[in-house]
Amino acid sequence: MTVRTAKRSAGLLLFRHTDRGLQVLLGHMGGPLWARKDAGAWTVPKGEYDPAEPAWEAARREFREELGVVPPDGEAVPLGEVVQRNGKIVTVWAVEADLDPETIEPGTFTMEWPPRSGRLREFPELDRVAWFNPDRARAVIITAQAAFLDRLAEHSA
């Protein structure tokens, strides 16, 4: 009998304080499956890692791979873990920093598209990133990841 272990992802949730209040940086998932979706299609920049790699190091590596920019230095606020509907365990840290969404150079992935066409196409991991206030972020983020917004709000209070 084969025991399946849950996939794990780690990421960084950037936040900033503006004259309009707290904002968080989220990425819209790339590729044709997400192109016309908004609600539930935004995520903390994150990615999968091997259990042998420390989660914090994976979070920083994945940030760089997903956004094409160096992850910011600063105090890392642990926001813990959530389990997404697909069973993936996601661990996130919040870091206060500002980032211009226009500076990202997203990493890519390859998939067969259209399905069963035999044609491989490359798509961005995240096709755009944007700053959101907590209420708007809650409306578009992957459902399980909304817990990170709550935990950040508790830290920022």
Side-chain angles (χ1 to χ4, degrees), residues 39-79:
W42 292 80
T43 181
V44 172
K46 61 170 182 47
E48 291 182 12
Y49 67 99
D50 184 277
E53 182 181 15
W56 169 246
E57 289 177 19
R60 292 183 56 80
R61 175 183 51 75
E62 286 293 337
F63 186 91
R64 186 170 41 259
E65 289 176 9
E66 298 255 327
L67 300 181
V69 295
V70 175
D73 291 324
E75 178 190 356
V77 178
L79 299 180

Side-chain angles (χ1 to χ4, degrees), residues 1-143:
M1 178 175 181
T2 304
V3 176
R4 262 185 82 211
T5 58
K7 290 184 178 181
R8 299 185 77 80
S9 278
L12 298 179
L13 177 62
L14 297 193
F15 69 98
R16 66 184 183 183
H17 296 279
T18 71
D19 55 357
R20 294 180 306 247
L22 180 68
Q23 293 183 328
V24 295
L25 185 76
L26 300 178
H28 184 270
M29 291 183 279
L33 304 177
W34 301 102
R36 292 187 173 91
K37 295 182 176 144
D38 195 43
W42 292 80
T43 181
V44 172
K46 61 170 182 47
E48 291 182 12
Y49 67 99
D50 184 277
E53 182 181 15
W56 169 246
E57 289 177 19
R60 292 183 56 80
R61 175 183 51 75
E62 286 293 337
F63 186 91
R64 186 170 41 259
E65 289 176 9
E66 298 255 327
L67 300 181
V69 295
V70 175
D73 291 324
E75 178 190 356
V77 178
L79 299 180
E81 295 180 342
V82 298
V83 179
Q84 295 183 165
R85 193 175 327 162
N86 62 5
K88 183 182 288 181
I89 299 167
V90 180
T91 306
V92 167
W93 287 264
V95 177
E96 186 169 7
D98 201 355
L99 177 91
D100 179 355
E102 298 299 316
T103 64
I104 71 153
E105 295 181 21
T108 59
F109 68 96
T110 303
M111 69 181 281
E112 182 181 15
W113 191 259
R116 297 180 293 286
S117 67
R119 293 192 352 231
L120 293 178
R121 294 196 39 207
E122 202 169 86
F123 298 96
E125 296 269 357
L126 299 173
D127 58 22
R128 62 192 180 275
V129 298
W131 289 99
F132 293 93
N133 68 41
D135 288 339
R136 179 70 181 130
R138 187 174 310 289
V140 298
I141 198 167
I142 293 171
T143 305

